[in-house]
Amino acid sequence: MLPPNLHVSQHPAVLHKLGILRDQKTEPKKFREVVRELSWLLGYEALADARVRSKRVTTPIETMDGHELGERIGLIPILRAGLGMVDAMLELMPTAEVWHLGLFRDEHTLRPVEYYNKLPDSANVDLCLILDPMLATGGSATAAIEVLKRWGAVKPVRIKLLNLIAAPEGVKAVADAHPDVEIFCAALDRQLNDKGYIMPGLGDAGDRQFGTGKAAE
Ligand code: PRP
Ligand code: URA
């Protein structure tokens, strides 16, 4: 059964763009473009419950009660692959801050290794959005969530995880360890292969964005 904190987009535009993203013929330039577009659509869905506050706005016709985002938002892209999701999220939330977190997955143990952390000194934030295109074993995501919670992102601070493609194994790992974290993804795929890659997936999201390595079999 799917955990209640999992949201899988059903939007036709998302489905269409996923087809382009997954295609092994899609070159890095187009791949980056589609990562950005999908991030925008996913971010739009993930922010549906964000708080707004009222703000007086004067149109060319009259003055009215308008709105502005009322949350202090931190974007946490997981290096490298999460970098491609940042620009779209900043378009949606121009006042958000970006706090880079460097994690790579050891290819033998599949365990995450932290190598960079740009979180500010204090957890002065309402909402943390973790950005990573892939949720595979869930090791990187749970490590990122643990870093955030140790830093001070605990209730009432909310943490949301945004992934383009998730595997059931990763969703379960995150939901079991952190049932308070909502997961938003564009697709929930079948399973992992024996190298920890998502099937059918899209290969290696970092390599495909930045033109390095070769796609995983
Ligand atoms: C990928 C991906 C996630 C992680 C997911 O990063 O971007 O961070 O793997 O796998 P997991 O759920 O099993 O932890 P990778 O470690 O390949 O680093 P990169 O972004 O630098 O390529
Ligand atoms: N990381 C990726 O980039 N792709 C996968 O399928 C799994 C982890």
Side-chain angles (χ1 to χ4, degrees):
M1 207 179 68
L2 296 178
N5 56 350
L6 174 69
H7 308 268
V8 185
S9 179
Q10 307 294 334
H11 198 288
V14 169
L15 300 179
H16 172 81
K17 290 178 191 301
L18 272 171
I20 301 170
L21 195 74
R22 290 180 188 277
D23 190 335
Q24 62 176 352
K25 295 198 294 300
T26 300
E27 299 290 340
K29 180 173 185 297
K30 182 71 180 171
F31 191 91
R32 289 192 297 271
E33 185 181 309
V34 179
V35 166
R36 186 181 157 284
E37 292 167 351
L38 278 168
S39 303
W40 206 101
L41 294 167
L42 207 57
Y44 182 79
E45 293 187 358
L47 279 174
D49 65 351
R51 285 188 290 274
V52 289
R53 58 175 168 246
S54 51
K55 174 189 174 189
R56 293 294 284 170
V57 177
T58 304
T59 78
I61 311 297
E62 61 182 16
T63 297
M64 60 170 286
D65 286 325
H67 299 96
E68 63 183 0
L69 267 177
E71 309 240 48
R72 293 161 299 174
I73 298 174
L75 304 176
I76 300 95
I78 308 301
L79 306 179
R80 287 175 300 170
L83 282 175
M85 301 175 72
V86 173
D87 283 355
M89 301 302 291
L90 282 174
E91 280 171 19
L92 275 171
M93 297 158 288
T95 56
E97 294 185 16
V98 184
W99 306 325
H100 298 88
L101 194 57
L103 296 174
F104 71 85
R105 195 171 70 150
D106 181 286
E107 62 183 44
H108 301 295
T109 65
L110 299 184
R111 293 303 305 155
V113 181
E114 184 179 335
Y115 61 91
Y116 191 75
N117 181 329
K118 255 312 188 186
L119 289 172
D121 291 342
S122 72
N124 192 13
V125 65
D126 299 307
L127 176 61
C128 294
L129 298 177
I130 300 175
L131 312 178
D132 194 334
M134 308 305 273
L135 176 61
T137 64
S140 305
T142 45
I145 294 165
E146 277 153 24
V147 167
L148 287 176
K149 287 187 173 175
R150 275 201 304 275
W151 167 70
V154 288
K155 217 170 168 189
V157 178
R158 282 131 56 230
I159 300 178
K160 298 188 183 197
L161 176 63
L162 272 65
N163 305 114
L164 300 187
I165 300 185
E169 294 90 332
V171 168
K172 181 172 182 331
V174 172
D176 286 352
H178 301 286
D180 53 316
V181 172
E182 282 189 285
I183 307 169
F184 290 82
C185 65
L188 179 64
D189 276 10
R190 195 171 74 250
Q191 67 185 95
L192 299 179
N193 69 13
D194 58 6
K195 292 180 188 157
Y197 278 85
I198 301 176
M199 297 193 290
L202 52 72
D204 188 301
D207 284 346
R208 293 203 57 190
Q209 281 182 74
F210 302 116
T212 51
K214 70 178 177 61
E217 284 127 32

